[in-house]
Amino acid sequence: MKFNSVFDALSDTPGQSANLKLRAQLMSHIQKLISEMDGTQAQIAKECGITQPRLNDLLQGKISKFSLDALVNINANLGEEVGLAFA
């Protein structure tokens, strides 16, 4: 069986695939923002509105531990907005 993306292969439905793709993109964006920040992980976690262990999960790319809502909230806590573009 051939899939259009790894997300399609990992998901049972198109909705799950779309959610996973969005979470991956947003997580990558947040990781980039964090890489440009100064401070300890504890300080950065506080700014993100999460705990330091949770920040560590985010930095390690543990996508299954984060809902789309959680990532949107972290992004907003860092002063960023999320926009949508429909294909």
Side-chain angles (χ1 to χ4, degrees), residues 34-46:
I34 290 170
S35 73
E36 297 169 353
M37 295 173 72
D38 292 325
T40 66
Q41 275 199 0
Q43 292 167 328
I44 293 169
K46 186 173 182 177

Side-chain angles (χ1 to χ4, degrees), residues 1-14 16-22 24-25:
M1 179 174 260
K2 186 174 178 177
F3 297 98
N4 291 329
S5 74
V6 68
F7 303 111
D8 293 336
L10 294 172
S11 303
D12 294 328
T13 66
Q16 287 176 340
S17 178
N19 185 287
L20 193 54
K21 287 176 195 175
L22 287 171
Q25 289 173 343

Side-chain angles (χ1 to χ4, degrees), residues 21-64:
K21 287 176 195 175
L22 287 171
R23 286 171 32 215
Q25 289 173 343
L26 192 49
M27 182 176 271
S28 177
H29 174 74
I30 293 167
Q31 289 169 334
K32 182 180 180 302
L33 291 173
I34 290 170
S35 73
E36 297 169 353
M37 295 173 72
D38 292 325
T40 66
Q41 275 199 0
Q43 292 167 328
I44 293 169
K46 186 173 182 177
E47 193 167 337
C48 291
I50 57 177
T51 64
Q52 188 277 327
R54 191 120 167 93
L55 176 66
N56 195 44
D57 287 340
L58 190 148
L59 294 174
Q60 290 183 17
K62 295 183 179 179
I63 196 166
S64 64

